[in-house]
Amino acid sequence: MAARQHPLVRSSAHKLDVPLWLGALAWLAVVGMGLASLAALLSRVTLGDVAALWRDPYLMGVVRFTLTQAMLSTLMSVALALPVAIALARRPRFPGRRLLVRTMELSLVIPTLIALFGLVAVHGRQGWAAPLWQALTGGSAGYLYGLSGIVLAHVFYNLPLSARLLLQALERQPEANWRLAAQLGLTRRAIWRALEWPVIRRVLPRLAALVFTLCFTSFAIVMTLGGGPRATTLEVALYQALKFEGDLAQAALLALVQLTICLSLWALALRHGGATQLIAASARRMPLGRWWRRDALGITRYLDALWLAGLALLLLPPLVAVVVAGLGGLPDLVSSGSSLWPATALSLSMATGAGVGALLVALTLLAGSAQLHRRERSGAAALMEGGGQLILVIPALVLGTGLFLLLRPSLGGGWQGYALVVLVNACMALPFAMQVLRGALFDAPVAQRRLADQLGIHGIARWRWLVWPRLRRPLGLALAYAMTLSLGDFSVIALFGSPSRPTLPMLLYQQLGGYRWQGAAATALVLLVVVVAVFALLERLSRRLPRYRQSRYWPTGARRHA
């Protein structure tokens, strides 16, 4: 005879489950917005425009340069990330490892203009590295501008991200594999062939596609370091055509070219690559067994030290330069009564709106996907979850351009433009929020899920006892990622924002363009502090949220029947 359900379980069953129609509505809103943007772009382009693209030497030069810089940046970032990730996996404990790994994890959310400010302070013509470059070459340090500077900035961003994701894949290897390799005395080459390369090969296609997309759609880096028309990418040309020239047809054509290349690349990567996490998990303590690796002895230790020292020299000096320069310029900026604090308030309000919006849509899509999985409709579940990944193949500026063309007759200035920025930023953050929350919602222990299903635990009871204890921390992390990504946005705000009411990234760009070095230094420091403070505050709040004790996970009656 079936066990009686606990009264609390019975009363809450099926009442507070997210309705499937709500998940479908969220999916239709996200996908419909993307398709509507695409339709708006297609309506502006004719076959004659496409033919004119191939005959225009300037536009073809833009396409070639965009592909060249993206391929060079991807090749260097991923190729250099391989030995760095392997060195970190071989060396689970050394002084400063935790700081280095944390800095690598921040590479995804550090605003682009902060990194650019630090790179200019270190590698610019008057930067910290200028005397060393002049002593070695006899010339001025002008390598930061043009193609070399763009590639350097992309490597600064994407090498640590790639290395962290590769390290995460290597750390998932079972401890028994490394113990067996030690017992068999496998050589360095054998370990690479049997343990490391099979893991890296599954991750590599999607990782390369992710890095290529980030470099291909780079905006602020090219705007700042491009150095002229010869170093213009599709993203910058699209912005110029829409903002300064008013050529809607050319902007739509460039957006479609960009979208076609990104879609083709991701279709190829999804076909040949395994799953790749977009978010690196927090650094965890390595087991002691990982210390005993035969390939970690001899000359390998010196090579590993060389790779890790190179990574530290790439990452740390620009961030230190931001702090040092910002502390020197902050008193003058505060006393001058500038627009720093209104820009900070505007950035935080927009980031909060985008973060909360991304979080709600992510939870709705994942809850709908979970219901479809429970009904054994895996195809529909994958389709619903895939709708949230739309921004990975439709760059933010392309999405914003399509929405601008779609809403142009009725789109006004002021709050309407900023509302559109919040909407696009929420779409930008959606894939990363879903990536963080997915594991908490879907990876609950099988025994707990099966027991909850057998007892008919649904609604508020299932949320309280099964979902919330696992979702509490990822919820804060997802909101932190969504807000910091919005805080650092420059491409969308540059298109729809007002120069008279700038956000922090726009204010920093205006100060850099006006050669107001002290003000730019203080603004960069404030932006960095705001990003770090948002992360720290949300992480602390997620830890302090109410946690139900183990004795409350299951009601007394449910534990008795179990």
Side-chain angles (χ1 to χ4, degrees):
M1 185 168 56
R4 290 191 310 164
Q5 290 182 335
H6 189 273
L8 178 60
V9 175
R10 232 181 9 251
S11 63
S12 61
H14 300 290
K15 288 186 179 180
L16 291 181
D17 280 343
V18 175
L20 187 58
W21 65 264
L22 193 59
L25 186 63
W27 183 88
L28 285 174
V30 175
V31 176
M33 185 170 56
L35 294 179
S37 300
L38 182 60
L41 294 173
L42 288 173
S43 66
R44 296 280 179 172
V45 178
T46 64
L47 293 178
D49 296 327
V50 177
L53 173 66
W54 303 105
R55 295 193 300 267
D56 191 332
Y58 170 72
L59 294 181
M60 285 306 301
V62 169
V63 174
R64 284 194 297 268
F65 180 81
T66 307
L67 290 171
T68 300
Q69 63 86 18
M71 287 188 290
L72 283 176
S73 301
T74 303
L75 181 62
M76 293 189 64
S77 299
V78 177
L80 294 175
L82 283 172
V84 169
I86 292 173
L88 284 169
R90 269 200 298 252
R91 312 289 168 187
R93 292 177 181 172
F94 61 84
R97 185 184 192 273
R98 185 176 181 84
L99 174 63
L100 188 61
V101 173
R102 288 293 187 186
T103 307
M104 293 165 61
E105 291 172 355
L106 285 174
S107 62
L108 182 66
V109 297
I110 292 179
T112 307
L113 289 176
I114 289 182
L116 287 172
F117 182 89
L119 288 172
V120 171
V122 174
H123 298 283
R125 290 187 175 92
Q126 305 297 326
W128 295 357
L132 178 61
W133 179 267
Q134 187 172 7
L136 293 176
T137 63
S140 61
Y143 59 87
L144 188 59
Y145 303 97
L147 178 60
S148 58
I150 293 172
V151 173
L152 174 62
H154 285 160
V155 171
F156 173 85
Y157 254 102
N158 297 303
L159 189 155
L161 174 64
S162 304
R164 186 64 186 92
L165 293 177
L166 289 172
L167 174 63
Q168 188 168 270
L170 290 171
E171 287 177 344
R172 289 201 193 99
Q173 286 272 38
E175 177 68 15
N177 291 358
W178 298 104
R179 191 182 304 116
L180 183 60
Q183 292 172 353
L184 296 176
L186 295 185
T187 63
R188 173 77 201 108
R189 179 176 298 181
I191 289 176
W192 165 258
R193 294 178 58 185
L195 295 177
E196 293 173 341
W197 174 243
V199 174
I200 292 173
R201 183 177 57 188
R202 290 196 297 269
V203 174
L204 211 53
R206 292 194 186 185
L207 176 60
L210 175 63
V211 175
F212 183 90
T213 303
L214 293 175
C215 298
F216 188 79
T217 60
S218 177
F219 178 73
I221 289 175
V222 181
M223 281 279 288
T224 307
L225 304 179
R230 297 182 61 183
T232 300
T233 59
L234 283 169
E235 194 97 347
V236 176
L238 190 158
Y239 169 76
Q240 292 172 346
L242 195 61
K243 189 76 172 180
F244 299 114
E245 301 171 8
D247 192 343
L248 300 180
Q250 181 171 314
L253 177 62
L254 293 173
L256 285 177
V257 171
Q258 189 174 4
L259 178 61
T260 302
I261 295 174
C262 290
L263 281 174
S264 303
L265 180 67
W266 273 101
L268 186 64
L270 292 174
R271 183 176 181 180
H272 293 93
T276 301
Q277 281 194 292
L278 301 175
I279 301 293
S282 298
R284 58 184 178 87
R285 186 178 297 277
M286 301 292 292
L288 292 176
R290 294 280 180 93
W291 272 91
W292 189 26
R293 286 184 55 172
R294 182 179 177 183
D295 61 322
L297 305 176
I299 194 175
T300 306
R301 67 179 66 181
Y302 302 106
L303 293 176
D304 289 347
L306 185 64
W307 283 112
L308 296 178
L311 177 65
L313 288 175
L314 174 70
L315 294 182
L316 297 181
L319 298 179
V320 173
V322 171
V323 176
V324 172
L327 291 176
L330 193 57
D332 296 335
L333 190 65
V334 173
S335 61
S336 63
S338 67
S339 57
L340 175 63
W341 308 121
T344 304
L346 180 61
S347 294
L348 282 173
S349 61
M350 293 176 63
T352 302
V356 172
L359 206 62
L360 293 177
V361 176
L363 286 172
T364 305
L365 289 175
L366 289 173
S369 178
Q371 287 202 40
L372 290 172
H373 274 296
R374 288 198 297 269
R375 300 180 184 183
E376 298 182 353
R377 297 169 61 183
S378 56
L383 185 63
M384 177 169 289
E385 194 173 340
Q389 313 296 326
L390 188 67
I391 197 63
L392 291 178
V393 294
I394 301 182
L397 200 57
V398 174
L399 181 63
T401 303
L403 291 176
F404 174 78
L405 296 176
L406 190 65
L407 304 174
R408 181 170 169 263
S410 58
L411 184 65
W415 69 269
Q416 293 182 348
Y418 285 105
L420 188 58
V421 173
V422 171
L423 178 63
V424 176
N425 284 340
C427 292
M428 288 172 57
L430 182 58
F432 302 99
M434 291 182 66
Q435 187 75 19
V436 175
L437 297 173
R438 189 183 189 282
L441 290 175
F442 288 105
D443 295 342
V446 177
Q448 291 186 14
R449 295 203 309 267
R450 186 180 298 119
L451 183 59
D453 292 337
Q454 290 174 352
L455 295 175
I457 299 177
H458 298 285
I460 188 63
R462 193 181 187 100
W463 171 271
R464 179 179 179 183
W465 301 322
L466 187 64
V467 178
W468 176 247
R470 300 178 55 84
L471 189 63
R472 185 172 57 95
R473 294 285 300 277
L475 205 62
L477 183 61
L479 182 59
Y481 271 114
M483 287 187 63
T484 49
L485 286 171
S486 178
L487 278 170
D489 169 67
F490 176 68
S491 60
V492 183
I493 194 66
L495 189 62
F496 300 111
S498 171
S500 60
R501 292 189 60 197
T503 59
L504 279 175
M506 180 180 286
L507 177 62
L508 178 57
Y509 182 78
Q510 291 173 350
Q511 291 168 337
L512 287 173
Y515 299 100
R516 290 175 283 168
W517 182 258
Q518 294 295 327
T523 303
L525 178 60
V526 169
L527 182 55
L528 180 61
V529 169
V530 168
V531 169
V532 174
V534 167
F535 243 103
L537 179 62
L538 289 176
E539 183 181 7
R540 186 171 182 84
L541 285 177
S542 65
R543 289 180 178 179
R544 295 176 65 89
L545 285 174
R547 179 193 296 193
Y548 298 105
R549 294 189 296 272
Q550 184 69 27
S551 60
R552 296 176 63 188
Y553 281 2
W554 303 97
T556 304
R559 287 202 306 274
R560 182 172 62 250
H561 294 311

